[in-house]
Amino acid sequence: VWDSSVAEVDSPWTGPGGEPVKHRETQKRRGTSMKHTIGEVDAMFGKNGWRAIVRHGVEQGEHEDSSPKIRPVDDASSNHTNSAHHTREQMTLPTVSWMATIGRALCAHGVCGAIGGGCDDESDAYRNSATRQPEFTVVVVPDPTTGEVYAFIPRGHNFGLGSAPNTYSAKPEFVCAVARRLFAAIVDHYVDDYASCEPQFALGPTRQHVVKALRRPSSTQGVLFMTAYVLGAPVSAAKHQPWSQTPEFIGVVTDMTD
């Protein structure tokens, strides 16, 4: 957990475009150090002007060297940050049957031929989404060598904040809205996971490109890749799942072969 905390704070902005103003402001306020004493955080935000969140780690997969991959999770329930959060907005997310629903609708409108879908994922979604109030994202972690407790100001949203899904999801919702209205893309998102569905003939011509999503630039996934990039919310080239008649979306495979 300590190593992950150090690594994420020190990681660079992945772009594209300029670094968000709030991210730059946070960096300026915390200085060049990655870790801070409690007194240093008091000096940044004022005594009692910030709220500490306890961090623990959750194992998620493995690195290339087979070592466990640890995702830091911040317990914003124990310090009552989550219970203090209230929202007037309600997220509406697609269900696991989204692919089948869209495929059925296309058939009902007379679309013939193969129908399939693909999936994409925003790169470091929470971490690349700047926050307005970094004083409420501060996490505390003990140094494993000395036992002394240090504070970290993570980049972007915390995994564990009840407000994070709502405040983050406005970004992919905007990306989807632009792709739909300007390019007639059939696309939706489940938090940071994008799903697209379209007939095979709509994929358009292929071309050679190092980025798989851009090998069919006229397809929904090609349009999504460029739209997200231009809007500063790039999707991951490595996690791109190309169009298939058996797409997997949020852990469920939809068979669209018949």
Side-chain angles (χ1 to χ4, degrees), residues 92 94 98 173 176 180 186-190 193-196 249:
T92 301
W98 186 86
E173 188 67 24
C176 287
R180 292 173 190 142
I186 305 176
V187 63
D188 207 339
H189 74 97
Y190 187 92
D193 295 319
Y194 291 97
S196 60
F249 177 49

Side-chain angles (χ1 to χ4, degrees), residues 29-211:
R29 294 172 78 173
R30 76 179 183 215
T32 56
S33 176
M34 294 177 292
K35 63 181 182 180
H36 303 281
T37 64
I38 303 304
E40 288 173 340
V41 181
D42 282 339
M44 286 185 216
F45 301 118
K47 195 171 181 62
N48 300 322
W50 59 284
R51 188 173 295 131
I53 304 176
V54 176
R55 167 169 287 184
H56 63 274
V58 173
E59 187 173 328
Q60 285 193 335
E62 297 180 343
H63 293 287
E64 292 182 359
D65 61 359
S66 298
S67 61
K69 184 183 294 185
I70 304 298
R71 165 172 283 187
V73 177
D74 305 328
D75 188 0
S77 294
S78 63
N79 68 354
H80 304 295
T81 295
N82 287 346
S83 60
H85 170 70
H86 300 279
T87 180
R88 297 179 181 178
E89 298 178 316
Q90 179 67 43
M91 287 193 301
T92 301
L93 299 173
T95 65
V96 294
S97 62
W98 186 86
M99 292 281 187
T101 300
I102 297 299
R104 189 181 301 114
L106 290 171
C107 290
H109 283 77
V111 173
C112 298
I115 296 174
C119 296
D120 289 279
D121 190 297
E122 184 182 346
S123 304
D124 296 324
Y126 272 20
R127 295 299 179 229
N128 286 342
S129 301
T131 56
R132 185 179 181 182
Q133 297 174 300
E135 62 270 25
F136 297 133
T137 68
V138 181
V139 299
V140 290
V141 183
D143 186 326
T145 58
T146 66
E148 186 174 355
V149 174
Y150 286 94
F152 292 84
I153 305 174
R155 191 185 75 204
H157 287 53
N158 303 65
F159 292 95
L161 273 178
S163 60
N166 260 24
T167 56
Y168 163 77
S169 290
K171 182 170 62 168
E173 188 67 24
F174 179 60
V175 172
C176 287
V178 172
R180 292 173 190 142
R181 286 164 173 75
L182 298 186
F183 305 103
I186 305 176
V187 63
D188 207 339
H189 74 97
Y190 187 92
V191 193
D192 62 334
D193 295 319
Y194 291 97
S196 60
C197 183
E198 60 190 332
Q200 189 173 26
F201 68 78
L203 297 175
T206 60
R207 67 172 183 174
Q208 294 298 317
H209 201 286
V210 66
V211 179

Side-chain angles (χ1 to χ4, degrees), residues 9-30:
V9 172
D10 195 38
S11 58
W13 174 253
T14 58
E19 193 173 20
V21 173
K22 289 296 178 182
H23 183 207
R24 294 200 303 270
E25 288 179 357
T26 300
Q27 283 192 317
K28 186 183 296 183
R29 294 172 78 173
R30 76 179 183 215

